[in-house]
Amino acid sequence: MNEPILKVENLTHIYSPGTPFEMTALDNIDLDIYKGEILGIIGHTGSGKSTLIQHLNALIKPTSGRILLEGRDINESKQSVREVRGKVGLVFQYPEYQLFEETVYRDIAFGPKNMKLDPAEIDRRVRLAARFTGVEESLLERSPFDLSGGQKRRVAIAGVIAMMPEVLVLDEPMAGLDPGGREEIMENIMTYHRETGAAIVIVTHSMEEAASRADRMAVLSHGKVAMTGTPEEVFARGEELRRMGLATPVMTDVADKLRALGVELPGTVYTVEQMVSALMELEGGKRRA
Ligand SMILES: Nc1ncnc2c1ncn2[C@@H]1O[C@H](COP(=O)(O)OP(=O)(O)O)[C@@H](O)[C@H]1O
Ligand SMILES: [Mg+2]
């Protein structure tokens, strides 16, 4: 793989240190994020996913350890913090709660304005980001508070995309949406990835989503990186995942059960497509026999 754009080195984060509420949320984490990749981050509730990704654009600071952007410590100076805010865009969980401007247009323009871009460039970016996220032009002059939940979510994501980040980090971007809305948001993110080559870091609860979209996955458990690897490599360790309180993809469970019944299913199976081709292969094998 190519160079890492972000490198997390020995990262520890302790909330409220030295108080009775002291909580080690991240315990000596190492993680590389490569240019242009799609990295899925999964882990049980409280495993440290949100804490980890808030470090990636210097929103919160390490208790110890470093985050390097193209080899440079992002917390080194005001200048380096400014630089990482421009290159690494962070979409919080339920980002629609942070919409506050009078119009959708102004909400999407907020980030680029802070970057001190000229008005023509801001306008270009607002329209581009709206296109990436499927926000129709006719909505731009509306109040964000008049929109549906799914539309608000898209506007909030557009506000980050308008900064044209090289790494787009999203914390459970599909949470709370119906299946149609989830699929649309995912497609919007993928369009941004395809057309700009940006890396995508996506925290998700859905194994199916992680499995079908990610190039690589990182599994967090109790503040540590328990596994990294391709979806194939990670889902091949179904027993360990289940012990960490993580559900494996439905098709992986079905494949495990079929194997337990003596069906010699070939290959790794975690999507419906893979299940179909594994069954076809099996069927073909039988016919040949
Ligand atoms: N602002 C905070 N203050 C104190 N503890 C926190 C704070 N945010 C998160 N934590 C704790 O840190 C741990 C990791 O939380 P978080 O990063 O939100 O995990 P996840 O996103 O995987 O659910 C949890 O035990 C959580 O209760
Ligand atoms: Mg979280």
Side-chain angles (χ1 to χ4, degrees), residues 15 23 25 44-51:
Y15 287 109
M23 169 73 216
H44 58 81
T45 301
S47 59
K49 304 180 297 295
S50 296
T51 304

Side-chain angles (χ1 to χ4, degrees), residues 38-285:
I38 302 175
L39 175 68
I41 298 183
I42 58 173
H44 58 81
T45 301
S47 59
K49 304 180 297 295
S50 296
T51 304
L52 171 63
I53 64 167
Q54 289 174 63
H55 281 85
L56 300 180
N57 77 344
L59 195 68
I60 59 177
K61 310 275 186 248
T63 303
S64 61
R66 303 189 302 170
I67 295 95
L68 306 176
L69 172 68
E70 291 165 330
R72 224 173 110 215
D73 187 344
I74 62 171
N75 292 299
E76 186 179 86
S77 63
K78 274 195 180 146
Q79 168 60 33
S80 64
V81 170
R82 202 172 313 128
E83 193 186 325
V84 78
R85 294 275 163 81
K87 288 197 172 172
V88 179
L90 180 59
V91 179
F92 294 97
Q93 202 170 355
Y94 298 107
E96 57 274 24
Y97 293 127
Q98 288 167 25
L99 299 174
F100 64 97
E101 293 276 3
E102 272 165 45
T103 65
V104 167
Y105 186 99
R106 287 167 63 161
D107 243 307
I108 302 176
F110 184 79
K113 246 184 208 160
N114 272 347
M115 293 169 84
K116 311 245 182 313
L117 299 171
D118 67 67
E121 178 62 11
I122 293 173
D123 187 67
R124 192 185 72 84
R125 294 224 187 166
V126 170
R127 291 175 198 283
L128 196 63
R131 186 173 68 72
F132 275 126
T133 51
V135 173
E136 294 129 51
E137 290 266 330
S138 64
L139 293 181
L140 291 176
E141 291 313 317
R142 298 264 293 276
S143 160
F145 304 102
D146 293 342
L147 309 182
S148 72
Q151 286 171 327
K152 278 188 204 165
R153 178 80 52 95
R154 288 207 289 270
V155 168
I157 296 174
V160 175
I161 283 182
M163 294 191 278
M164 293 283 138
E166 287 177 44
V167 184
L168 178 62
V169 184
L170 306 111
D171 199 349
E172 308 211 19
M174 282 84 71
L177 300 179
D178 58 45
R182 299 172 72 87
E183 188 53 34
E184 269 176 40
I185 296 263
M186 200 64 197
E187 283 307 325
N188 298 154
I189 297 165
M190 289 302 125
T191 305
Y192 180 70
H193 168 75
R194 263 196 317 273
E195 293 191 18
T196 64
I200 307 291
V201 178
I202 183 162
V203 172
T204 172
H205 250 89
S206 160
M207 293 296 163
E208 274 74 12
E209 264 148 21
S212 62
R213 310 288 185 159
D215 299 313
R216 219 158 56 88
M217 302 188 46
V219 182
L220 295 196
S221 182
H222 301 290
K224 291 182 191 288
V225 177
M227 292 181 202
T228 56
T230 61
E232 283 92 335
E233 289 163 345
V234 168
F235 292 127
R237 297 163 71 178
E239 231 356 88
E240 277 170 85
L241 290 172
R242 281 187 281 269
R243 257 185 275 127
M244 285 189 269
L246 292 170
T248 40
V250 174
M251 284 303 136
T252 305
D253 296 344
V254 174
D256 286 353
K257 285 194 182 121
L258 285 172
R259 288 195 181 104
L261 291 170
V263 179
E264 287 168 29
L265 215 54
T268 315
V269 176
Y270 53 82
T271 64
V272 174
E273 289 73 24
Q274 288 167 343
M275 178 59 91
V276 169
S277 64
L279 289 171
M280 300 276 275
E281 214 176 300
L282 194 69
E283 191 57 20

